[in-house]
Amino acid sequence: MKAMRNLALEAWMREHGYSANALAEAVNQAVDRLRGRPGSHDGASVRAWKSGRIRWPHAVTRLALEEVTGLPITDLGFVPRGRVAPAPAASEQEESDMKRRTLVGGIAAVAAAAAPGSSTRRIGMGDVHRLQHRFAEIIASDHRHGGQLGIEQKAAALADEALNLQNSGSASQRVRANLYASAAAFRSSAMWAAIDGGRYDIAKAHMREAQALAEMSGDQAIKFRIWSHTGTMYRHLGRPADALAANDVARSLHITRRDPLFACLGHARHAATLGLTGDDRGVKRLLGCARDSFESADPDVVRPVWMTPVRDGAELETLSLAAHLRLGNYPQAEAHAHRSLTLLAPQMLRDRAINTARLAQAQLGQGAEEAAVTAAKQIPVDAATRHARVSRTLRQFTTALGSLAPDSTAARAWDDHTATSRRTAPSET
């Protein structure tokens, strides 16, 4: 018997703009969230569902399809095994009429579910995926600019948008959990932008809301991010005891046992905080643990977009640089600075500026004034004048240079450079 096409699935894909490959990718990601490893579907799998050759996918695939679409599996046109399929049409005309009625009905149902203000609106994973796309845009802005008030405000607004979706229609428990996770992710980015910009009181307010949303979501990855950022915030505030306590919360989450890359980040951030306490032995031990975890992590596991610098190894080098710089281990700090600058992706402009400033500090700590000034002058003017952490690091560099070699050629060259930078700095408008 000829397989009947799954017109309901085709209608949903058409309405929501999914190609076969895009739906396969979304299902694979949903499978990963359900069982801890991604699915293996591809465009051919989806075409088999559409053609009717596969009428009832495996259980985990069915759950993943329901998560992606927000619809029961039978509403997507799939038929349980053992159930009698609809009888074939008596003629080609009848078959054509039936297909047209099914297609129009499917599109109408999807459109009704998506209509704003409709009492039957169904919130699905398609809505979550759109939010996740916006989250990736926030992360990209942070990597390029970092700490800007505009990024903080946009992230906070998107957190509110994710929460508003909760009240705009019906949704499965899984979708609601993902909406809370999205809201927590946006709020954590607002928190991080405030930390990065030195707006610590505002960062604490974002932190409290982000932590509450993360608890409602149950998402381990976003819980880790928030508590890890909390540790960083207290580290920047010069409160190492609070920073270490927050880091311990992040490091105790079971995601660090399931995925060594999270353990790597937790160990490295803890080491950076221990640098404030002068614990040289503790720093070296934790950085060794971080390195071991990094080397044992599976690079092919699908992780949140904000973990990309960790996966690339750049974040481990950055945090190692910060830890050794605080300890006054300048040769080690310089080595980590060079490695971090090699590993940082081109779009990581904020981190490149900060690590270049730290490189200059490490070289100055070894008495290499000329090399230090040469490095510091490579930092773009807008980052040097508008980014809080870069500006603070360069002020520290200027003070140290003035103390160590106030009348040197390097110091005069740096004074000339900073004076020119102030004149040519972009305005805040």
Side-chain angles (χ1 to χ4, degrees), residues 57-381:
H58 293 300
V60 70
T61 302
R62 297 197 302 270
L63 290 172
L65 278 162
E66 288 182 338
E67 179 175 321
V68 170
T69 64
L71 296 173
I73 193 69
T74 51
D75 286 5
L76 292 170
F78 292 100
V79 182
R81 292 186 180 90
R83 183 173 297 180
V84 178
S91 68
E92 289 186 4
Q93 180 61 46
E94 290 176 353
E95 182 176 351
S96 175
D97 290 344
M98 183 192 71
K99 286 183 177 180
R100 184 175 63 255
R101 288 194 300 270
T102 304
L103 177 61
V104 172
I107 293 175
V110 171
S118 170
S119 60
T120 59
R121 171 157 166 70
R122 179 77 175 178
I123 311 302
M125 286 304 297
D127 298 287
V128 174
H129 292 150
R130 282 188 286 276
L131 287 171
Q132 291 172 341
H133 179 73
R134 301 299 299 278
F135 181 61
E137 293 174 350
I138 290 290
I139 295 296
S141 295
D142 172 67
H143 287 166
R144 295 185 67 85
H145 309 294
Q148 302 303 312
L149 181 60
I151 297 175
E152 177 195 337
Q153 293 172 335
K154 184 176 181 180
L158 286 166
D160 291 340
E161 182 179 323
L163 287 177
N164 288 338
L165 270 175
Q166 294 278 11
N167 300 315
S168 66
S170 62
S172 67
Q173 183 177 357
R174 187 178 298 114
V175 169
R176 293 203 181 281
N178 275 275
L179 288 175
Y180 281 125
S182 293
F186 285 123
R187 189 61 66 174
S188 72
S189 283
M191 170 190 174
W192 175 245
I195 293 169
D196 206 25
R199 301 181 293 276
Y200 297 115
D201 288 342
I202 297 173
K204 291 175 186 176
H206 289 310
M207 173 194 73
R208 288 188 286 270
E209 186 164 352
Q211 287 171 344
L213 291 167
E215 287 301 320
M216 287 189 283
S217 76
D219 188 297
Q220 287 273 306
I222 199 59
K223 285 184 184 180
F224 178 94
R225 186 183 196 223
I226 292 163
W227 279 105
S228 188
H229 280 343
T230 301
T232 301
M233 178 181 69
Y234 286 127
R235 170 159 49 92
H236 290 325
L237 285 168
R239 295 166 55 178
D242 292 331
L244 293 171
N247 289 340
D248 279 336
V249 175
R251 296 197 303 155
S252 68
L253 294 169
H254 68 70
I255 195 170
T256 62
R257 296 185 290 278
R258 190 175 74 230
D259 187 343
L261 202 61
F262 281 87
C264 167
L265 181 57
H267 292 321
R269 284 189 170 156
H270 212 61
T273 300
L274 282 180
L276 287 176
T277 70
D279 187 351
D280 191 280
R281 181 178 296 179
V283 166
K284 291 177 180 177
R285 179 180 60 82
L286 278 167
L287 290 179
C289 292
R291 177 66 58 186
D292 291 342
S293 296
F294 177 79
E295 291 175 353
S296 65
D298 183 350
D300 296 324
V301 170
V302 177
R303 298 181 178 90
V305 64
W306 54 268
M307 284 289 287
T308 300
V310 188
R311 184 193 63 201
D312 294 344
E315 187 73 2
L316 176 54
E317 297 297 338
T318 293
L319 291 165
S320 300
L321 161 60
H324 282 293
L325 194 61
R326 290 187 177 96
L327 289 171
N329 296 336
Y330 298 121
Q332 296 96 317
E334 180 179 5
H336 288 295
H338 287 300
R339 285 198 288 270
S340 73
L341 293 170
T342 299
L343 291 169
L344 283 170
Q347 67 269 23
M348 304 287 287
L349 301 181
R350 184 267 318 278
D351 284 14
R352 185 170 297 279
I354 290 173
N355 287 359
T356 301
R358 289 169 173 167
L359 169 63
Q361 286 185 318
Q363 290 172 328
L364 186 61
Q366 299 172 77
E369 295 93 352
E370 296 286 348
V373 169
T374 298
K377 289 168 69 174
Q378 294 174 7
I379 299 171
V381 171

